[in-house]
Amino acid sequence: MSAPTVLRDDLDLPVRIGPGPVRRVVSLVPSLTEAVAATAPELLAGATDWCSHPAGLVVPRIGGTKNPDVPRILALAPDLVLANDEENRRPDLDALRAAGVPVWVTDIRTLDDAFRSLDRLLTAACGLPRPAWLDEAEAAWREVRPRSDEPRAIVPIWRRPWMVLGRDTFAGDLLRHLGVRLVHAGHAERYPAVPLPELLACTPDLVVLPDEPYRFAADDGPEAFPDVPVALVSGRHLTWYGPSLVTAPAVLAEALGHPFVQGGINAS
């Protein structure tokens, strides 16, 4: 049996892997669940209630990303737990570490971060061959030609209160690659709460409404921005880092290229 290996995750925290190969993984992040399932589905021993891809995934569920059932995770005896610094609560991760479970935390703010982090997680931490889908994703984004009109966009991610993409976000970086300029890219906060009147006063060229984390839809969101072009986009393709990155450039470009204008009264 091989000796344990100490690696460092995206936060530069030590993660003790082994002895022996990683054979049981519990994922606390939907993106990472999909990444492992697309690469080595036999490794997945558990996932959150929010892990919806791939379709038909059948694994034990361990609660939400913000409220995982730590005793349930421990009962699954994982060799490794996958987490994300933004999505998961540090007290939960500390409780797992205190119980002797290795925890690998990702920290992804840009597209390049995603490619580097996914490669390290899958090949170094999980001991897997680099998957073909990761090469395909990198190739797909290399082919992106950003739109030349560079529309100024606000990107709400929540309402009641309204919250938007600010600085230093993965979704914002994807939009930047596609030629969309975020109005709030220079904001001091990453996800600032901005009252609707202030959003309207920004006079954006475009409003981008994803269907997660808030489920914006044709009848829920666009009416708040009368006479402003609105693009409804797939939240999974905008915010997930994993196999969805293969098709994200085409899916997002199609949605951004076909906004619609809706009249109406402002809504809170």
Side-chain angles (χ1 to χ4, degrees), residues 107-117 168-174 176-177 190 241 245:
D107 183 22
I108 296 173
R109 308 293 179 92
T110 69
L111 181 62
D112 288 342
D113 284 348
F115 290 142
R116 286 192 296 268
S117 181
D168 195 25
T169 68
F170 173 72
D173 193 58
L174 260 58
R176 181 184 65 81
H177 276 80
R190 298 182 66 218
Y241 31 84
L245 287 172

Side-chain angles (χ1 to χ4, degrees), residues 86-104:
E86 182 174 83
E87 288 202 50
N88 305 118
R89 297 171 62 251
R90 295 193 180 189
D92 296 321
L93 306 185
D94 288 342
L96 292 168
R97 294 187 184 103
V101 176
V103 179
W104 184 277

Side-chain angles (χ1 to χ4, degrees), residues 171-208:
D173 193 58
L174 260 58
L175 291 170
R176 181 184 65 81
H177 276 80
L178 294 166
V180 176
R181 293 182 295 151
L182 266 62
V183 169
H184 297 92
H187 199 283
E189 298 180 26
R190 298 182 66 218
Y191 302 103
V194 183
L196 183 60
E198 292 184 25
L199 294 179
L200 296 172
C202 293
T203 61
D205 303 314
L206 180 68
V207 175
V208 179

Side-chain angles (χ1 to χ4, degrees), residues 130-246:
R130 179 180 166 91
W133 64 258
L134 190 52
D135 292 327
E136 293 168 10
E138 291 193 358
W141 281 95
R142 280 196 299 270
E143 296 299 316
V144 167
R145 297 295 177 264
R147 50 192 295 171
S148 58
D149 57 338
E150 296 188 327
R152 295 173 61 256
I154 60 174
V155 188
I157 57 168
W158 203 259
R159 66 183 302 178
R160 304 182 190 94
W162 287 94
M163 299 177 68
V164 299
L165 291 184
R167 64 168 181 84
D168 195 25
T169 68
F170 173 72
D173 193 58
L174 260 58
L175 291 170
R176 181 184 65 81
H177 276 80
L178 294 166
V180 176
R181 293 182 295 151
L182 266 62
V183 169
H184 297 92
H187 199 283
E189 298 180 26
R190 298 182 66 218
Y191 302 103
V194 183
L196 183 60
E198 292 184 25
L199 294 179
L200 296 172
C202 293
T203 61
D205 303 314
L206 180 68
V207 175
V208 179
L209 296 178
D211 60 10
E212 62 175 80
Y214 186 90
R215 190 174 291 278
F216 288 107
D219 61 352
D220 186 357
E223 79 289 343
F225 303 94
D227 305 320
V228 180
V230 172
L232 295 171
V233 303
S234 161
R236 172 170 167 261
H237 289 91
L238 181 63
T239 65
W240 288 33
Y241 31 84
S244 59
L245 287 172
V246 175

Side-chain angles (χ1 to χ4, degrees), residues 12 14 29 36 50-51 54-55 58 65 76 80 83 115 152 187 195 202 207 235 253 264 267-268:
D12 200 34
V29 185
V36 174
W50 299 105
C51 294
V58 180
T65 58
L76 292 172
L80 186 64
F115 290 142
R152 295 173 61 256
H187 199 283
C202 293
V207 175
S268 62

